[in-house]
Amino acid sequence: MADDDDSGFPEGEVYVEDENIDAIVARIEHKSRQVERLLRLSHYTEALKTALEDAPTRTRDERCKSANWIVVHRALMSSKDVDGLLVSLDSKYYDILMKYLYRGLATGDRPTCDQCLRLHEKLTERAGMGCIMRALADTRNTV
């Protein structure tokens, strides 16, 4: 790392400041409406992509993280066709999806855990073990 701070981010990259929390929440609310519209049209993969985009990983505010988890959870639980959900998902979403799958497993909710385990298996087949390691090792950019 080029600088001596202990943030864990490269120079110039830090957590979002508290004054931006309202803007993050507004973005998540807008995203939620987009996801709901896509789900009504049965565009499950597009809904998942939208839910995963711009995840609030650079904030410590749990309200933002929980609000975005609700949107991602809605998209994850909408489709029973796990293969279909992942087949057209771009690889740039794999790591963030894996993080959300672990968050889902942590809920202890049986239907959520079942779906997350199915997705975890298929995502690991597609993305490999590195995806798991990156999701578990990245303790700064949490979901």
Side-chain angles (χ1 to χ4, degrees):
M1 194 163 25
D3 58 339
D4 292 334
D5 75 3
D6 64 351
S7 69
F9 294 120
E11 189 173 340
E13 293 184 39
V14 295
Y15 282 108
V16 174
E17 300 297 324
D18 289 336
E19 60 263 20
N20 292 328
I21 299 302
D22 291 335
I24 294 169
V25 170
R27 234 180 14 253
I28 293 169
E29 289 170 351
H30 176 72
K31 183 188 334 189
S32 178
R33 289 187 296 274
Q34 288 178 305
V35 167
E36 288 299 327
R37 181 183 57 79
L38 289 166
L39 291 176
R40 279 192 302 275
L41 297 171
S42 299
H43 296 161
Y44 302 115
T45 302
E46 286 302 314
L48 181 58
K49 287 178 187 177
T50 301
L52 294 172
E53 286 174 355
D54 200 24
T57 58
R58 298 207 188 259
T59 180
R60 292 182 178 131
D61 190 279
E62 192 55 40
R63 293 172 299 165
C64 295
K65 292 181 181 295
S66 292
N68 206 70
W69 160 243
I70 291 168
V71 176
V72 171
H73 180 262
R74 177 77 175 100
L76 289 175
M77 299 301 288
S78 65
S79 176
K80 299 302 175 205
D81 180 14
V82 173
D83 288 322
L85 194 59
L86 294 179
V87 73
S88 59
L89 187 66
D90 190 286
S91 63
K92 72 180 183 178
Y93 297 102
Y94 289 171
D95 289 359
I96 192 74
L97 175 56
M98 187 63 78
K99 289 180 181 188
Y100 276 110
L101 294 179
Y102 286 121
R103 180 166 180 150
L105 289 169
T107 66
D109 175 63
R110 179 68 183 253
T112 300
C113 289
D114 288 348
Q115 182 75 341
C116 286
L117 284 172
R118 283 190 293 272
L119 282 161
H120 186 278
E121 176 186 11
K122 297 300 182 181
L123 182 57
T124 303
E125 288 173 8
R126 296 181 78 74
M129 295 297 288
C131 185
I132 294 171
M133 295 306 296
R134 288 186 297 275
L136 295 176
D138 185 0
T139 59
R140 291 283 182 191
N141 299 306
T142 61
V143 296

